[in-house]
Amino acid sequence: MIGYAAGRSPLHRAHPYTPLAAASAVLLLAFAVSTPGAVGVVVLAAVALALLGDATGAIVRPMLVLVLPTWALLLVLHGILGGDPHLVLGPVTLSEPGVRRALVLGGRVTAIVIAFLTALATVSPPRLVEAMTARGVPFGRIFLLVSSLTLVPRMRARAVQILDAQQSRGLRIGGSAAARVRALVPLVLPLVLGALAEVEEQVLALDARGAASGARRTALDPPRDTLGERLVRMALIMAVLMAYAAKFMGRGA
Amino acid sequence: MAVNLVIGQIVAALLLPVFLDAVGTILVAALVGPRAAIAAGLVSQILNAVLSGNFSWLPFGIVQIVIALYAASVARLGAFKRYETAVPAGLGLGLLAGATAAPISYFVFGGVTGGGVTAVTAVLRGLGVPLPVAVAGASMGTDLLDKTISCVLVAAILRSLPEQLAARFPALAR
Amino acid sequence: MTFGVRLERVRAGYGQGDVLHDVSLDVAAGESLALLGANGAGKTTLARLLIGLVRPSAGRVTVGDWDVSGRRPDELARRVGYVFQHADHQLFARTVRDDVAFGPRCLGLPGDGVAAALEELGLSRVAGAHPYDLPAPARKLVTLAGVLAMGAGVLVLDEPTAGFDHESRELVVAALRRRIESGVTAVVVSHDLAFVAEAAERIVVMREGAIATDRRARDMLRDEDALHALGLGPPPAAALGLRLALSGSPVRIAECVAALRGARWTAPAV
């Protein structure tokens, strides 16, 4: 399951910005390094983050679903179809540089997916909204983000309803490629028109709540941010900066 | 924004080898303007990552920015008013988006991205085409088809927009 | 062409677990049936079986001589017209007329039913308007017109009158009755008993995925205890008939009026 999983781990109790910062740091670090060993370290760091957030149970399934196909494709694309020299391992021949490349790319994806799934599982959306409000992020922008998130599942349900309804009106889902492309219009149009009508209602609702007034809002119960956490986030930023500095200096040398 | 995400579901039901994940961005570009379209494209990219959990796609946000800017400028020229102009506009967008996406796909992921494109890449690679060319070819071919359909859909949407709703979007009048 | 509908020992559901357990039901051609029951009792699942959007996991569903299992929804649409509860999500054409014509066009029908369906539901005046510029009940009427225009022999309506005013409901009742008289089979899922009273001859009550009651609408709508058990009460005409002990057990407004006209009525002493 992707999404918030209630818990009492250090990450759950931390200020919402901290797990997000950690996940972002993993993302940036994953692209900063380019050897299989270094990428492995980043993957281990992401796993450590998941353990710290007590999120391994919640994320292991979506992680595998997202990561395994990528690995499979990478191994085919690079490991088997990659350049020379090749290694013979029983029945298969593997390209040595290809495998190295697959390990780097697959490791990156794995680390990023683990880190962000952990952040999603440990950051409660209402607490994040409170934290953003306390930091003075305009209400309109927060509302836009949150409302889009709630809109998506509703629109998914509506997409299913539209598919059902248009089929019941005799629209064939399938057939030739041209017919399928033509079928897009009666399927996509109602979805978009409905979404636009809904957005219009939301804008009216926003106006009615004075979102445009620009006044700073008061967070009712802002999550506590400690000096320690601030230091952790500073350290993460430093680590990322250092990794990129090393990357570019290494290339220059 | 949500449009970008949910259209994929309909496409999947139709088993078409395209994403149409830029329809929302192009639509906002034509309705409101480039800044809103960039915001819509980026937010939808982030939301997509949040909802699917696949954060490794975030770098493709750059493509959404390019799409937003291009779509807003051709919309100003009236490209989405008629299907005859929407098709070339879509082909142009496909070239541009493909040209932007291919280097990202190659450098960041070594050619592994979405299901359809990757499969095409693998086939080209299997035929002996060098990897960078295979990635570019696959991504370009899919993008041309994808963006042309997207632009025609946007033109269809704009045509069937009810007046009451259309009146709320000043960019349309231009 | 008219068709009966038959379910033989049907089990059906979505993914895990069946919603319908061993349901058998026979609706004759030209019969009008209302499905009542609590939310989740399986009414909509039963209705969706008829258009092929839910597939039976056991048993057989037939529409006339067609077994629905072998047919896609767009094929079944030739025989079954289905109006969805939130049908206004499906509108997309630039005018009401175009949207109503979509179904007939998909089926390759001549489309002469379009104008008639618009006229029947009082939509001729707004035929050139954009569907999204109409209020919600009118949009729902548009979707109903879209299905009527397809001329199907079986009509399946899921909550067709939810949110309707009296006038719109009357239009739906009149259109539906005309179809039923010409032999069309109607299956209606509805909580609106005033509508059910006017439109249905037979009532089936579903409970927990099975048929709990199957009786004449006239009897059911005058059975206050049975209706109370469903959290409902008799529709106005039936209630009036019961209170005044009118002859002919009226449940429809016209019947009630006729009974009142015929009654030698004296004001009760106060």
PDB file of all heavy atoms in Angstrom, chain C residues 146-175:
ATOM      1  N   GLY C 146     -30.830   9.923 -24.276  1.00  0.00           N
ATOM      2  CA  GLY C 146     -29.800   9.248 -25.052  1.00  0.00           C
ATOM      3  C   GLY C 146     -30.041   7.749 -25.110  1.00  0.00           C
ATOM      4  O   GLY C 146     -29.759   7.098 -26.113  1.00  0.00           O
ATOM      5  N   VAL C 147     -30.550   7.186 -24.016  1.00  0.00           N
ATOM      6  CA  VAL C 147     -30.811   5.746 -23.987  1.00  0.00           C
ATOM      7  C   VAL C 147     -32.128   5.420 -24.684  1.00  0.00           C
ATOM      8  O   VAL C 147     -32.212   4.445 -25.435  1.00  0.00           O
ATOM      9  CB  VAL C 147     -30.790   5.243 -22.528  1.00  0.00           C
ATOM     10  CG1 VAL C 147     -31.325   3.832 -22.439  1.00  0.00           C
ATOM     11  CG2 VAL C 147     -29.372   5.310 -21.975  1.00  0.00           C
ATOM     12  N   LEU C 148     -33.155   6.256 -24.468  1.00  0.00           N
ATOM     13  CA  LEU C 148     -34.434   6.010 -25.141  1.00  0.00           C
ATOM     14  C   LEU C 148     -34.250   6.033 -26.656  1.00  0.00           C
ATOM     15  O   LEU C 148     -34.855   5.247 -27.384  1.00  0.00           O
ATOM     16  CB  LEU C 148     -35.471   7.059 -24.728  1.00  0.00           C
ATOM     17  CG  LEU C 148     -35.955   7.004 -23.272  1.00  0.00           C
ATOM     18  CD1 LEU C 148     -37.004   8.079 -23.029  1.00  0.00           C
ATOM     19  CD2 LEU C 148     -36.493   5.636 -22.908  1.00  0.00           C
ATOM     20  N   ALA C 149     -33.368   6.936 -27.128  1.00  0.00           N
ATOM     21  CA  ALA C 149     -33.167   7.090 -28.572  1.00  0.00           C
ATOM     22  C   ALA C 149     -32.554   5.841 -29.190  1.00  0.00           C
ATOM     23  O   ALA C 149     -32.611   5.653 -30.402  1.00  0.00           O
ATOM     24  CB  ALA C 149     -32.276   8.300 -28.856  1.00  0.00           C
ATOM     25  N   MET C 150     -31.945   4.986 -28.361  1.00  0.00           N
ATOM     26  CA  MET C 150     -31.325   3.773 -28.889  1.00  0.00           C
ATOM     27  C   MET C 150     -32.373   2.678 -29.125  1.00  0.00           C
ATOM     28  O   MET C 150     -32.054   1.640 -29.703  1.00  0.00           O
ATOM     29  CB  MET C 150     -30.236   3.273 -27.935  1.00  0.00           C
ATOM     30  CG  MET C 150     -29.019   4.203 -27.910  1.00  0.00           C
ATOM     31  SD  MET C 150     -27.992   3.999 -26.445  1.00  0.00           S
ATOM     32  CE  MET C 150     -27.330   2.384 -26.734  1.00  0.00           C
ATOM     33  N   GLY C 151     -33.587   2.900 -28.614  1.00  0.00           N
ATOM     34  CA  GLY C 151     -34.686   1.994 -28.918  1.00  0.00           C
ATOM     35  C   GLY C 151     -34.497   0.571 -28.439  1.00  0.00           C
ATOM     36  O   GLY C 151     -34.917  -0.371 -29.104  1.00  0.00           O
ATOM     37  N   ALA C 152     -33.861   0.384 -27.281  1.00  0.00           N
ATOM     38  CA  ALA C 152     -33.604  -0.966 -26.786  1.00  0.00           C
ATOM     39  C   ALA C 152     -34.890  -1.624 -26.308  1.00  0.00           C
ATOM     40  O   ALA C 152     -35.838  -0.953 -25.898  1.00  0.00           O
ATOM     41  CB  ALA C 152     -32.587  -0.918 -25.654  1.00  0.00           C
ATOM     42  N   GLY C 153     -34.924  -2.949 -26.365  1.00  0.00           N
ATOM     43  CA  GLY C 153     -36.101  -3.693 -25.942  1.00  0.00           C
ATOM     44  C   GLY C 153     -36.192  -3.871 -24.434  1.00  0.00           C
ATOM     45  O   GLY C 153     -37.226  -4.227 -23.902  1.00  0.00           O
ATOM     46  N   VAL C 154     -35.071  -3.649 -23.760  1.00  0.00           N
ATOM     47  CA  VAL C 154     -35.042  -3.743 -22.300  1.00  0.00           C
ATOM     48  C   VAL C 154     -34.455  -2.439 -21.775  1.00  0.00           C
ATOM     49  O   VAL C 154     -33.427  -1.974 -22.264  1.00  0.00           O
ATOM     50  CB  VAL C 154     -34.156  -4.918 -21.823  1.00  0.00           C
ATOM     51  CG1 VAL C 154     -34.106  -4.975 -20.301  1.00  0.00           C
ATOM     52  CG2 VAL C 154     -34.658  -6.230 -22.394  1.00  0.00           C
ATOM     53  N   LEU C 155     -35.128  -1.820 -20.787  1.00  0.00           N
ATOM     54  CA  LEU C 155     -34.585  -0.606 -20.181  1.00  0.00           C
ATOM     55  C   LEU C 155     -34.209  -0.909 -18.741  1.00  0.00           C
ATOM     56  O   LEU C 155     -35.003  -1.473 -17.989  1.00  0.00           O
ATOM     57  CB  LEU C 155     -35.621   0.519 -20.212  1.00  0.00           C
ATOM     58  CG  LEU C 155     -35.850   1.184 -21.564  1.00  0.00           C
ATOM     59  CD1 LEU C 155     -37.006   2.169 -21.476  1.00  0.00           C
ATOM     60  CD2 LEU C 155     -34.582   1.889 -22.028  1.00  0.00           C
ATOM     61  N   VAL C 156     -32.984  -0.555 -18.379  1.00  0.00           N
ATOM     62  CA  VAL C 156     -32.530  -0.722 -17.004  1.00  0.00           C
ATOM     63  C   VAL C 156     -32.188   0.665 -16.483  1.00  0.00           C
ATOM     64  O   VAL C 156     -31.316   1.340 -17.030  1.00  0.00           O
ATOM     65  CB  VAL C 156     -31.288  -1.635 -16.928  1.00  0.00           C
ATOM     66  CG1 VAL C 156     -30.865  -1.824 -15.480  1.00  0.00           C
ATOM     67  CG2 VAL C 156     -31.578  -2.978 -17.577  1.00  0.00           C
ATOM     68  N   LEU C 157     -32.910   1.111 -15.456  1.00  0.00           N
ATOM     69  CA  LEU C 157     -32.717   2.471 -14.965  1.00  0.00           C
ATOM     70  C   LEU C 157     -32.297   2.421 -13.507  1.00  0.00           C
ATOM     71  O   LEU C 157     -33.000   1.866 -12.668  1.00  0.00           O
ATOM     72  CB  LEU C 157     -34.015   3.284 -15.100  1.00  0.00           C
ATOM     73  CG  LEU C 157     -34.777   3.177 -16.428  1.00  0.00           C
ATOM     74  CD1 LEU C 157     -36.041   4.017 -16.372  1.00  0.00           C
ATOM     75  CD2 LEU C 157     -33.901   3.639 -17.574  1.00  0.00           C
ATOM     76  N   ASP C 158     -31.106   3.003 -13.216  1.00  0.00           N
ATOM     77  CA  ASP C 158     -30.606   3.020 -11.845  1.00  0.00           C
ATOM     78  C   ASP C 158     -30.899   4.390 -11.253  1.00  0.00           C
ATOM     79  O   ASP C 158     -30.298   5.388 -11.670  1.00  0.00           O
ATOM     80  CB  ASP C 158     -29.099   2.722 -11.845  1.00  0.00           C
ATOM     81  CG  ASP C 158     -28.593   2.345 -10.455  1.00  0.00           C
ATOM     82  OD1 ASP C 158     -29.345   2.540  -9.472  1.00  0.00           O
ATOM     83  OD2 ASP C 158     -27.446   1.859 -10.355  1.00  0.00           O
ATOM     84  N   GLU C 159     -31.801   4.460 -10.301  1.00  0.00           N
ATOM     85  CA  GLU C 159     -32.205   5.709  -9.654  1.00  0.00           C
ATOM     86  C   GLU C 159     -32.471   6.815 -10.692  1.00  0.00           C
ATOM     87  O   GLU C 159     -31.840   7.868 -10.661  1.00  0.00           O
ATOM     88  CB  GLU C 159     -31.127   6.191  -8.672  1.00  0.00           C
ATOM     89  CG  GLU C 159     -30.882   5.265  -7.506  1.00  0.00           C
ATOM     90  CD  GLU C 159     -32.032   5.246  -6.498  1.00  0.00           C
ATOM     91  OE1 GLU C 159     -32.984   6.058  -6.637  1.00  0.00           O
ATOM     92  OE2 GLU C 159     -31.978   4.411  -5.589  1.00  0.00           O
ATOM     93  N   PRO C 160     -33.428   6.589 -11.592  1.00  0.00           N
ATOM     94  CA  PRO C 160     -33.598   7.571 -12.674  1.00  0.00           C
ATOM     95  C   PRO C 160     -34.180   8.902 -12.204  1.00  0.00           C
ATOM     96  O   PRO C 160     -34.038   9.896 -12.908  1.00  0.00           O
ATOM     97  CB  PRO C 160     -34.569   6.871 -13.633  1.00  0.00           C
ATOM     98  CG  PRO C 160     -35.314   5.911 -12.773  1.00  0.00           C
ATOM     99  CD  PRO C 160     -34.368   5.470 -11.697  1.00  0.00           C
ATOM    100  N   THR C 161     -34.806   8.943 -11.039  1.00  0.00           N
ATOM    101  CA  THR C 161     -35.500  10.179 -10.654  1.00  0.00           C
ATOM    102  C   THR C 161     -34.864  10.848  -9.439  1.00  0.00           C
ATOM    103  O   THR C 161     -35.437  11.776  -8.885  1.00  0.00           O
ATOM    104  CB  THR C 161     -36.975   9.893 -10.331  1.00  0.00           C
ATOM    105  OG1 THR C 161     -37.024   8.900  -9.293  1.00  0.00           O
ATOM    106  CG2 THR C 161     -37.716   9.398 -11.550  1.00  0.00           C
ATOM    107  N   ALA C 162     -33.674  10.394  -9.020  1.00  0.00           N
ATOM    108  CA  ALA C 162     -33.044  10.987  -7.835  1.00  0.00           C
ATOM    109  C   ALA C 162     -32.821  12.479  -8.064  1.00  0.00           C
ATOM    110  O   ALA C 162     -32.248  12.877  -9.075  1.00  0.00           O
ATOM    111  CB  ALA C 162     -31.730  10.279  -7.536  1.00  0.00           C
ATOM    112  N   GLY C 163     -33.291  13.286  -7.155  1.00  0.00           N
ATOM    113  CA  GLY C 163     -33.093  14.734  -7.252  1.00  0.00           C
ATOM    114  C   GLY C 163     -34.054  15.424  -8.209  1.00  0.00           C
ATOM    115  O   GLY C 163     -33.867  16.597  -8.529  1.00  0.00           O
ATOM    116  N   PHE C 164     -35.081  14.717  -8.670  1.00  0.00           N
ATOM    117  CA  PHE C 164     -36.002  15.303  -9.644  1.00  0.00           C
ATOM    118  C   PHE C 164     -37.137  16.059  -8.967  1.00  0.00           C
ATOM    119  O   PHE C 164     -37.566  15.702  -7.878  1.00  0.00           O
ATOM    120  CB  PHE C 164     -36.614  14.190 -10.500  1.00  0.00           C
ATOM    121  CG  PHE C 164     -35.797  13.869 -11.718  1.00  0.00           C
ATOM    122  CD1 PHE C 164     -34.447  14.179 -11.759  1.00  0.00           C
ATOM    123  CD2 PHE C 164     -36.370  13.259 -12.816  1.00  0.00           C
ATOM    124  CE1 PHE C 164     -33.690  13.882 -12.871  1.00  0.00           C
ATOM    125  CE2 PHE C 164     -35.615  12.960 -13.931  1.00  0.00           C
ATOM    126  CZ  PHE C 164     -34.284  13.273 -13.963  1.00  0.00           C
ATOM    127  N   ASP C 165     -37.647  17.077  -9.659  1.00  0.00           N
ATOM    128  CA  ASP C 165     -38.888  17.702  -9.215  1.00  0.00           C
ATOM    129  C   ASP C 165     -40.050  16.909  -9.814  1.00  0.00           C
ATOM    130  O   ASP C 165     -39.865  15.973 -10.599  1.00  0.00           O
ATOM    131  CB  ASP C 165     -38.936  19.180  -9.629  1.00  0.00           C
ATOM    132  CG  ASP C 165     -38.766  19.352 -11.123  1.00  0.00           C
ATOM    133  OD1 ASP C 165     -38.906  18.362 -11.864  1.00  0.00           O
ATOM    134  OD2 ASP C 165     -38.490  20.482 -11.559  1.00  0.00           O
ATOM    135  N   HIS C 166     -41.269  17.309  -9.401  1.00  0.00           N
ATOM    136  CA  HIS C 166     -42.444  16.556  -9.810  1.00  0.00           C
ATOM    137  C   HIS C 166     -42.581  16.506 -11.332  1.00  0.00           C
ATOM    138  O   HIS C 166     -42.866  15.454 -11.911  1.00  0.00           O
ATOM    139  CB  HIS C 166     -43.689  17.188  -9.178  1.00  0.00           C
ATOM    140  CG  HIS C 166     -44.961  16.529  -9.596  1.00  0.00           C
ATOM    141  ND1 HIS C 166     -45.319  15.288  -9.132  1.00  0.00           N
ATOM    142  CD2 HIS C 166     -45.924  16.914 -10.460  1.00  0.00           C
ATOM    143  CE1 HIS C 166     -46.465  14.945  -9.679  1.00  0.00           C
ATOM    144  NE2 HIS C 166     -46.867  15.906 -10.492  1.00  0.00           N
ATOM    145  N   GLU C 167     -42.316  17.635 -11.972  1.00  0.00           N
ATOM    146  CA  GLU C 167     -42.541  17.723 -13.411  1.00  0.00           C
ATOM    147  C   GLU C 167     -41.609  16.768 -14.181  1.00  0.00           C
ATOM    148  O   GLU C 167     -42.051  16.035 -15.069  1.00  0.00           O
ATOM    149  CB  GLU C 167     -42.319  19.167 -13.865  1.00  0.00           C
ATOM    150  CG  GLU C 167     -42.873  19.449 -15.236  1.00  0.00           C
ATOM    151  CD  GLU C 167     -42.438  20.822 -15.734  1.00  0.00           C
ATOM    152  OE1 GLU C 167     -41.965  21.635 -14.920  1.00  0.00           O
ATOM    153  OE2 GLU C 167     -42.564  21.045 -16.945  1.00  0.00           O
ATOM    154  N   SER C 168     -40.309  16.780 -13.797  1.00  0.00           N
ATOM    155  CA  SER C 168     -39.363  15.904 -14.488  1.00  0.00           C
ATOM    156  C   SER C 168     -39.744  14.444 -14.263  1.00  0.00           C
ATOM    157  O   SER C 168     -39.655  13.616 -15.181  1.00  0.00           O
ATOM    158  CB  SER C 168     -37.942  16.131 -13.971  1.00  0.00           C
ATOM    159  OG  SER C 168     -37.625  17.491 -14.003  1.00  0.00           O
ATOM    160  N   ARG C 169     -40.165  14.145 -13.031  1.00  0.00           N
ATOM    161  CA  ARG C 169     -40.527  12.762 -12.737  1.00  0.00           C
ATOM    162  C   ARG C 169     -41.710  12.324 -13.607  1.00  0.00           C
ATOM    163  O   ARG C 169     -41.723  11.218 -14.135  1.00  0.00           O
ATOM    164  CB  ARG C 169     -40.860  12.627 -11.262  1.00  0.00           C
ATOM    165  CG  ARG C 169     -41.094  11.178 -10.860  1.00  0.00           C
ATOM    166  CD  ARG C 169     -41.949  11.089  -9.636  1.00  0.00           C
ATOM    167  NE  ARG C 169     -41.190  11.311  -8.432  1.00  0.00           N
ATOM    168  CZ  ARG C 169     -41.697  11.911  -7.358  1.00  0.00           C
ATOM    169  NH1 ARG C 169     -42.923  12.365  -7.371  1.00  0.00           N
ATOM    170  NH2 ARG C 169     -40.956  12.073  -6.282  1.00  0.00           N
ATOM    171  N   GLU C 170     -42.693  13.228 -13.763  1.00  0.00           N
ATOM    172  CA  GLU C 170     -43.853  12.912 -14.595  1.00  0.00           C
ATOM    173  C   GLU C 170     -43.438  12.603 -16.032  1.00  0.00           C
ATOM    174  O   GLU C 170     -43.967  11.699 -16.664  1.00  0.00           O
ATOM    175  CB  GLU C 170     -44.834  14.093 -14.595  1.00  0.00           C
ATOM    176  CG  GLU C 170     -45.571  14.271 -13.288  1.00  0.00           C
ATOM    177  CD  GLU C 170     -46.523  13.118 -13.025  1.00  0.00           C
ATOM    178  OE1 GLU C 170     -47.546  13.048 -13.721  1.00  0.00           O
ATOM    179  OE2 GLU C 170     -46.215  12.287 -12.149  1.00  0.00           O
ATOM    180  N   LEU C 171     -42.472  13.376 -16.530  1.00  0.00           N
ATOM    181  CA  LEU C 171     -41.992  13.146 -17.896  1.00  0.00           C
ATOM    182  C   LEU C 171     -41.395  11.751 -18.028  1.00  0.00           C
ATOM    183  O   LEU C 171     -41.636  11.039 -19.004  1.00  0.00           O
ATOM    184  CB  LEU C 171     -40.931  14.197 -18.265  1.00  0.00           C
ATOM    185  CG  LEU C 171     -41.433  15.609 -18.536  1.00  0.00           C
ATOM    186  CD1 LEU C 171     -40.273  16.582 -18.590  1.00  0.00           C
ATOM    187  CD2 LEU C 171     -42.202  15.638 -19.857  1.00  0.00           C
ATOM    188  N   VAL C 172     -40.602  11.357 -17.017  1.00  0.00           N
ATOM    189  CA  VAL C 172     -39.962  10.047 -17.064  1.00  0.00           C
ATOM    190  C   VAL C 172     -41.023   8.952 -16.988  1.00  0.00           C
ATOM    191  O   VAL C 172     -40.992   7.972 -17.742  1.00  0.00           O
ATOM    192  CB  VAL C 172     -38.943   9.893 -15.911  1.00  0.00           C
ATOM    193  CG1 VAL C 172     -38.321   8.512 -15.935  1.00  0.00           C
ATOM    194  CG2 VAL C 172     -37.868  10.961 -16.006  1.00  0.00           C
ATOM    195  N   VAL C 173     -41.996   9.147 -16.073  1.00  0.00           N
ATOM    196  CA  VAL C 173     -43.058   8.150 -15.925  1.00  0.00           C
ATOM    197  C   VAL C 173     -43.792   7.963 -17.251  1.00  0.00           C
ATOM    198  O   VAL C 173     -43.991   6.832 -17.719  1.00  0.00           O
ATOM    199  CB  VAL C 173     -44.047   8.585 -14.817  1.00  0.00           C
ATOM    200  CG1 VAL C 173     -45.319   7.745 -14.890  1.00  0.00           C
ATOM    201  CG2 VAL C 173     -43.391   8.464 -13.447  1.00  0.00           C
ATOM    202  N   ALA C 174     -44.159   9.089 -17.878  1.00  0.00           N
ATOM    203  CA  ALA C 174     -44.934   9.004 -19.123  1.00  0.00           C
ATOM    204  C   ALA C 174     -44.129   8.287 -20.204  1.00  0.00           C
ATOM    205  O   ALA C 174     -44.650   7.396 -20.898  1.00  0.00           O
ATOM    206  CB  ALA C 174     -45.318  10.403 -19.585  1.00  0.00           C
ATOM    207  N   ALA C 175     -42.844   8.645 -20.340  1.00  0.00           N
ATOM    208  CA  ALA C 175     -42.010   8.031 -21.380  1.00  0.00           C
ATOM    209  C   ALA C 175     -41.869   6.536 -21.129  1.00  0.00           C
ATOM    210  O   ALA C 175     -41.978   5.719 -22.049  1.00  0.00           O
ATOM    211  CB  ALA C 175     -40.642   8.706 -21.402  1.00  0.00           C
TER     212      ALA C 175
END
